[in-house]
Amino acid sequence: MKRVAKSNKRVRKAEAVSNEKLSKNKEVFENGFFSKLIETKALLVLIILIFVIGIFAFKDYFLLKKLFFFKDIGSDSITQRYPQIVHNMNLLSEGFVSKWSFYVGMGQNYFTGFVTEPYGLLRKLIDKIGILFSEDYFVYAVFYKSFIFNILLIGVIFFFYLRTIKTDKYTSIIGALLMAFSGYLILGSSWSFGGEVLRGVFLLFAFEQLMIKKRWYFFPWAVIFLSGNLFLVYIYSLFLVIYAIFRFYDVFGYKPKEFGLLLSKMIGFGILGLAINSVNIVRGFYKMFFSPRVSGSASYTDVLTSGVNTGIDYSSNFATSLLRFFSNDILGNGSNFNGWNNYLEAPAFYAGIISLMLIPQVFSFLNLKKKVIFASFLMFWLLIAFIPQLRYAFYLYMGDYYRVGLDFIIPFILILFSVFALKEIIKNQKINIVVLVLTAVSLIIILYFPYKSLPENAIDKNIRLLVSFLIITYSGLLILLSKKSFKKIAKISIVLLVIFELSVFSYNTAGKRKTYSKYEYDKTKFGYNDNTIASVKYLKSIDKSFYRIEKDYYSGIAQHGSLNGAKAQSYYGTASYSSFNQLNYIRFLEESGIIEKGNETQTRWSVGLRGRPLMYTFGNVKYHLSDKAEPEFLNFGFDSINSFGKVKVLKNRYFVPFGYTYEKFITADDFKKLKEFRKQVILLNAFVFEKEMFYDSLGVDFKELTIKDTNLIASSSKFNFELYKNYTDKLKEDTLQIKHFEQSKIIGEIDLKKTKLLFLTIPFDEGWKITDNGKKRKLSRVNFGFTGIILSKGKHELKLEYVPGYYYVSSIVSIFFMIFTLALIIFDMIRKKRLHKAEKL
């Protein structure tokens, strides 16, 4: 009997093993190799798929047949990004850390502080190594860095974000692909906005790690990563608070005390991140706040709050917003864009057609309370996106755009909701077919609706047809996905269709644009390798003093002429194209009549002193470059000294060196009453006295000019070269002899025969400090935007040095909290290790 029992036991055991094998084989058969691969190698699969889509969409960029620089509406890559690359290399060659740059306009705060977070440190190290191998590394690497550090990294982090919120691996891969190739990311990367999406994704990941996993150490890093730009801190903080309320209620329900504790942790760790990055926060604050767009007379806030017409046609805004959910390019590509505003500024809400199909399905899987909170969260952001006044308020009336916020938030919500719906469809094996059909019909209607606000044939018919095909195909596949017998084939088909869709649409956005080839760059340096380079090299070889150069033509082959030639071609100029030009320099240009006061566009596209011979003298412009056959400046006191190709090098006969002196002044009120030409003349005779910005006593040493002094303030009809020479000779009687010059440090001496005002064509900034014969003095703002100081009779040893505001204090705070945070992490690791050991015991 015992033998029989043992034999039966062995049989039962063998049957159990056999049944287990059959069960496993059945599971493998049902799910297949694809599902097994997803479960075991999900991250690897995601990375491979990102590269597959990337190679199709960006093949020519990978092979360096094309460079990630654009000739069309994206010409900012030529007029801003490339000059910035050359500029940074020049500053790096002059010193490891820069604080000020004379390459920007007539000079501007340009602080490159130390890196306070790991991601930035990694990128900086890679750049340091890359530049050792090729001087063109930064140009060739732009696409690779954009793809790896934006698209790939965003996909990976978003995958971990979705896994943190307990999304299955298959759905997480779909969601990560949609985010990695979302419309704004692909479009914005060509304008260098991809990093904003990365910051947003990482912030969400850090929050979920804090809330779900109780891991705090990602959160300060996310705040550090954001806080170099205080406007981003505001935008993403507001978004995060609203998102946190939504997510906490979804996961834990109504628990105000627990949410209050989570909020306090967010605030605490957020403050820690801000403290670590305080040195860069201060830099970012100074750059943005002390700019014409914020503190100047050309603030966009005034325009948006006043109801004044901005010059933009808003009639097509609603239609554009709807259609750009389907594709970046449905209304045209690049400069051929036919929607509201332009290709970049228009809403870029595309996040995959499958997202649009799945959004309504979310509500089929929610109870009544959750339906309300999901719908409220979605509607809150859609109302901001579609109602202009709400959008202006959301952006604090800082600009009329969707980027830097909504272009990330709206696609993110689409993906989040669609991922939730997809997960539930797979899990519950059901779908609301009526809602699906209504969704598909609604989307088709939106696609084919005859929008009267758009130009005729504005919609790309091929893209519309492709979107229609995708809507119908996704509808069928989602129905199959809800059927157990078709689940496997549906999952594979959806992945393949998503890959196809993202590849095609990403190629449309980036691959079809007018770009530069590597050959063009090597030959022309994007058009900057014109005869300006040879002219500048020649001038540097014959003249070692400080001077500025201007020209009457644009370098750079792009849709828009570049005002950043000085940065790209390594000379000191006066023009500048930047979102945040130097506040006081722009104030001077406005008050002197060179640009229109309150014109926000002119504060960004600043022509400087270009084309004004008298202002050249005022601003130390010694040389003028002209590509004209008969340069008109030959009639205004300039002599031709050389030529390179079509470019003629002209020298200013009436040049006045950096650091000249005045002994007369005119009040600001009197100056404002003059016409532009007479303003230019007065600046060659007297400085403009602004009492509230002047820190020295004028005493009796200075003569006041008034608008009645017509013998000195000549009109254009009475002006002549004899007067011009008299003016400049007087200014040159006593000038600063420069002994040492760096971007943020100037040492010189001057010997005065009488008390005078030393005028420096440095745009006024409180960061500039001066010592006079070893004693600290305070600089004044003169001529509305520049720097000056009254010096008494005699010899003066002067040392000028630029130190950004709160530089030392903020650096100490950053270093202290870096050390504190590192100690906190080590302490936390030791504590967890001890708890783990105690649990084992």
Side-chain angles (χ1 to χ4, degrees):
M1 292 293 292
K2 287 182 179 180
R3 288 180 181 178
V4 172
K6 285 181 179 180
S7 176
N8 289 337
K9 191 175 181 181
R10 282 196 296 270
V11 169
R12 286 195 297 272
K13 189 175 181 181
E15 287 176 349
V17 171
S18 178
N19 288 335
E20 186 179 348
K21 286 181 178 179
L22 286 171
S23 178
K24 285 183 178 179
N25 288 336
K26 184 180 179 183
E27 184 181 346
V28 170
F29 176 76
E30 288 179 349
N31 295 324
F33 173 76
F34 176 77
S35 297
K36 189 175 180 181
L37 184 65
I38 293 293
E39 285 302 312
T40 57
K41 305 288 184 184
L43 183 59
L44 178 62
V45 169
L46 172 65
I47 292 171
I48 291 171
L49 293 181
I50 289 175
F51 271 101
V52 168
I53 296 170
I55 289 170
F56 177 87
F58 310 109
K59 180 184 69 174
D60 289 339
Y61 297 107
F62 272 108
L63 297 175
L64 285 181
K65 288 183 179 179
K66 292 181 178 179
L67 299 179
F68 215 51
F69 292 84
F70 300 84
K71 299 177 182 178
D72 60 6
I73 185 69
S75 62
D76 275 4
S77 57
I78 305 299
T79 58
Q80 277 195 310
R81 182 190 287 175
Y82 177 71
Q84 197 72 355
I85 288 171
V86 179
H87 180 221
N88 290 341
M89 290 175 64
N90 284 331
L91 292 180
L92 188 62
S93 67
E94 295 176 27
F96 187 75
V97 176
S98 68
K99 300 171 186 173
W100 183 271
S101 174
F102 282 100
Y103 293 109
V104 185
M106 289 183 71
Q108 187 165 334
N109 176 325
Y110 195 85
F111 176 53
T112 54
F114 51 82
V115 179
T116 56
E117 39 83 18
Y119 173 76
L121 181 61
L122 174 64
R123 292 195 65 162
K124 200 157 192 173
L125 287 173
I126 291 172
D127 286 344
K128 293 285 186 186
I129 295 168
I131 199 65
L132 295 175
F133 292 93
S134 170
E135 63 178 9
D136 295 315
Y137 156 77
F138 283 102
V139 172
Y140 297 149
V142 163
F143 167 73
Y144 293 105
K145 290 198 291 185
S146 179
F147 184 82
I148 293 169
F149 289 120
N150 290 341
I151 295 172
L152 179 61
L153 193 55
I154 285 169
V156 169
I157 294 174
F158 200 70
F159 172 82
F160 283 116
Y161 159 78
L162 292 174
R163 294 294 293 146
T164 304
I165 64 174
K166 297 179 173 57
T167 304
D168 65 89
K169 292 181 179 178
Y170 170 81
T171 310
S172 296
I173 289 174
I174 297 292
L177 289 175
L178 294 175
M179 180 54 74
F181 294 94
S182 56
Y184 178 58
L185 177 56
I186 302 303
L187 174 60
S189 290
S190 61
W191 271 272
S192 301
F193 289 123
E196 292 168 12
V197 180
L198 176 59
R199 290 174 174 87
V201 167
F202 188 72
L203 181 67
L204 291 167
F205 167 74
F207 167 76
E208 293 293 348
Q209 285 286 313
L210 179 65
M211 185 177 80
I212 304 294
K213 301 290 186 180
K214 314 302 179 187
R215 296 170 182 159
W216 64 269
Y217 35 82
F218 292 109
F219 203 81
W221 179 14
V223 173
I224 295 168
F225 198 24
L226 273 172
S227 58
N229 185 325
L230 289 179
F231 190 64
L232 274 182
V233 174
Y234 155 71
I235 292 290
Y236 283 108
S237 295
L238 177 60
F239 168 63
L240 185 63
V241 169
I242 297 168
Y243 171 81
I245 295 169
F246 161 72
R247 276 289 294 149
F248 189 88
Y249 184 87
D250 179 41
V251 176
F252 300 109
Y254 182 70
K255 294 182 179 180
K257 288 185 178 179
E258 287 80 354
F259 180 75
L261 179 62
L262 174 64
L263 193 61
S264 65
K265 287 180 180 178
M266 291 166 60
I267 293 170
F269 293 127
I271 291 172
L272 182 61
L274 292 174
I276 293 171
N277 202 38
S278 59
V279 65
N280 291 316
I281 290 172
V282 170
R283 176 203 65 181
F285 172 78
Y286 267 80
K287 179 180 179 180
M288 293 183 65
F289 187 80
F290 294 104
S291 71
R293 298 182 73 181
V294 180
S295 297
S297 62
S299 172
Y300 212 70
T301 303
D302 298 334
V303 176
L304 294 178
T305 55
S306 66
V308 174
N309 187 354
T310 60
I312 298 172
D313 180 12
Y314 287 88
S315 61
S316 62
N317 182 272
F318 183 76
T320 302
S321 299
L322 283 177
L323 290 168
R324 291 262 281 194
F325 276 100
F326 297 102
S327 165
N328 286 334
D329 303 283
I330 195 165
L331 291 172
N333 175 276
S335 299
N336 298 318
F337 179 69
N338 297 303
W340 173 82
N341 208 341
N342 63 59
Y343 193 50
L344 173 68
E345 306 295 342
F349 294 156
Y350 170 73
I353 303 303
I354 192 172
S355 294
L356 302 178
M357 300 298 303
L358 286 168
I359 283 276
Q361 294 294 326
V362 170
F363 299 96
S364 302
F365 301 99
L366 301 173
N367 59 37
L368 182 59
K369 286 185 178 179
K370 287 197 173 183
K371 281 180 181 177
V372 171
I373 194 167
F374 270 66
S376 299
F377 182 68
L378 178 63
M379 287 305 299
F380 175 83
W381 292 108
L382 287 178
L383 286 173
I384 290 177
F386 278 91
I387 300 177
Q389 288 302 325
L390 291 179
R391 178 162 55 87
Y392 300 157
F394 172 67
Y395 282 109
L396 298 179
Y397 296 93
M398 296 291 287
D400 185 13
Y401 42 69
Y402 293 83
R403 57 183 172 83
V404 195
L406 289 175
D407 275 345
F408 163 72
I409 292 169
I410 299 299
F412 161 72
I413 295 170
L414 297 182
I415 295 170
L416 178 65
F417 278 38
S418 63
V419 161
F420 179 87
L422 186 62
K423 178 183 73 172
E424 293 300 318
I425 291 170
I426 294 170
K427 179 182 174 183
N428 297 296
Q429 295 288 281
K430 70 173 185 177
I431 192 169
N432 191 323
I433 295 179
V434 173
V435 170
L436 184 67
V437 171
L438 288 174
T439 302
V441 171
S442 299
L443 294 176
I444 295 293
I445 290 172
I446 292 171
L447 269 177
Y448 287 88
F449 188 83
Y451 298 98
K452 301 297 182 183
S453 60
L454 295 173
E456 190 177 352
N457 299 318
I459 298 175
D460 187 309
K461 293 179 181 178
N462 291 326
I463 292 179
R464 182 166 62 185
L465 188 62
L466 176 57
V467 171
S468 303
F469 163 77
L470 290 169
I471 291 170
I472 295 168
T473 308
Y474 277 126
S475 298
L477 290 176
L478 289 172
I479 292 172
L480 292 178
L481 187 66
S482 66
K483 309 297 181 183
K484 189 174 181 179
S485 56
F486 294 101
K487 179 180 174 182
K488 180 178 69 172
I489 189 67
K491 288 174 77 172
I492 295 173
S493 299
I494 286 172
V495 170
L496 292 175
L497 193 58
V498 167
I499 292 170
F500 167 75
E501 177 193 339
L502 297 178
S503 299
V504 171
F505 285 0
S506 296
Y507 173 75
N508 284 341
T509 299
K512 288 186 175 181
R513 303 273 295 281
K514 292 180 180 180
T515 62
Y516 280 90
S517 66
K518 181 178 180 296
Y519 171 78
E520 286 179 294
Y521 168 72
D522 291 339
K523 188 176 180 180
T524 70
K525 304 295 183 187
F526 302 130
Y528 289 104
N529 192 24
D530 55 18
N531 289 302
T532 306
I533 298 290
S535 303
V536 170
K537 285 182 178 179
Y538 163 72
L539 291 173
K540 287 182 177 181
S541 70
I542 65 167
D543 192 339
K544 305 297 183 183
S545 64
F546 179 92
Y547 54 85
R548 293 185 172 95
I549 300 170
E550 265 306 342
K551 53 187 184 180
D552 58 17
Y553 58 92
Y554 293 105
S555 297
I557 309 169
Q559 179 171 317
H560 305 96
S562 175
L563 288 169
N564 287 327
K567 291 199 289 187
Q569 296 166 319
S570 309
Y571 64 87
Y572 301 147
T574 69
S576 174
Y577 168 44
S578 171
S579 296
F580 302 104
N581 277 316
Q582 216 272 353
L583 174 64
N584 285 306
Y585 180 42
I586 295 299
R587 179 182 283 115
F588 162 77
L589 294 176
E590 289 177 331
E591 296 295 350
S592 59
I594 294 173
I595 66 174
E596 181 185 351
K597 196 169 186 176
N599 188 315
E600 191 269 342
T601 301
Q602 289 185 14
T603 69
R604 288 182 287 124
W605 297 81
S606 169
V607 297
L609 309 181
R610 186 169 287 187
R612 292 171 169 81
L614 298 185
M615 286 288 92
Y616 279 17
T617 295
F618 167 84
N620 317 128
V621 179
K622 194 172 186 177
Y623 300 101
H624 176 77
L625 308 181
S626 177
D627 66 353
K628 306 292 187 293
E630 295 293 333
E632 61 177 342
F633 269 51
L634 290 172
N635 301 318
F636 295 104
F638 282 74
D639 300 314
S640 180
I641 61 172
N642 210 334
S643 63
F644 297 89
K646 291 184 179 180
V647 172
K648 296 171 180 62
V649 181
L650 310 183
K651 184 177 180 180
N652 187 357
R653 243 181 284 155
Y654 301 98
F655 168 74
V656 176
F658 178 84
Y660 53 88
T661 53
Y662 287 113
E663 56 186 65
K664 302 181 185 71
F665 74 93
I666 186 171
T667 64
D669 289 339
D670 271 359
F671 183 85
K672 291 177 181 178
K673 296 173 184 176
L674 298 170
K675 292 185 177 180
E676 183 184 345
F677 182 81
R678 296 189 74 188
K679 285 180 177 180
Q680 295 178 22
V681 172
I682 197 69
L683 288 171
L684 300 180
N685 285 277
F687 68 90
V688 180
F689 174 66
E690 297 178 273
K691 187 175 181 180
E692 67 277 9
M693 293 302 297
F694 213 78
Y695 301 109
D696 294 316
S697 173
L698 288 179
V700 296
D701 299 294
F702 293 87
K703 178 186 176 182
E704 179 180 356
L705 295 186
T706 68
I707 55 177
K708 295 179 181 179
D709 290 313
T710 53
N711 58 324
L712 286 175
I713 314 174
S715 63
S716 56
S717 60
K718 294 181 180 180
F719 187 81
N720 56 59
F721 285 113
E722 184 179 351
L723 281 174
Y724 197 1
K725 187 176 185 304
N726 290 337
Y727 299 157
T728 55
D729 285 347
K730 192 69 176 174
L731 293 176
K732 290 189 288 188
E733 281 181 359
D734 298 297
T735 59
L736 181 69
Q737 305 301 306
I738 297 175
K739 302 298 181 185
H740 175 84
F741 178 84
E742 295 177 20
Q743 295 292 336
S744 55
K745 186 177 181 181
I746 302 170
I747 298 173
E749 62 183 24
I750 188 170
D751 192 357
L752 295 174
K753 301 177 185 66
K754 60 178 291 188
T755 298
K756 287 187 174 183
L757 178 126
L758 174 65
F759 176 65
L760 305 164
T761 51
I762 301 174
F764 183 76
D765 188 306
E766 294 281 0
W768 277 102
K769 311 297 179 186
I770 189 169
T771 59
D772 176 10
N773 292 329
K775 293 181 180 180
K776 291 182 180 179
R777 296 278 307 278
K778 196 168 179 68
L779 294 162
S780 297
R781 190 180 80 188
V782 297
N783 294 337
F784 292 108
F786 290 99
T787 305
I789 186 171
I790 290 180
L791 298 176
S792 60
K793 177 183 176 181
K795 199 168 187 178
H796 297 266
E797 297 283 345
L798 301 174
K799 180 181 177 183
L800 285 151
E801 190 165 11
Y802 183 76
V803 180
Y806 300 100
Y807 172 69
Y808 294 115
V809 172
S810 61
S811 297
I812 292 169
V813 170
S814 286
I815 292 169
F816 173 81
F817 280 99
M818 278 183 192
I819 296 169
F820 173 77
T821 304
L822 184 60
L824 203 61
I825 292 171
I826 293 170
F827 173 78
D828 196 42
M829 290 171 65
I830 293 171
R831 182 183 63 84
K832 286 181 178 178
K833 195 173 183 180
R834 286 177 178 173
L835 285 173
H836 184 66
K837 283 184 178 180
E839 287 174 0
K840 281 187 175 181
L841 295 174

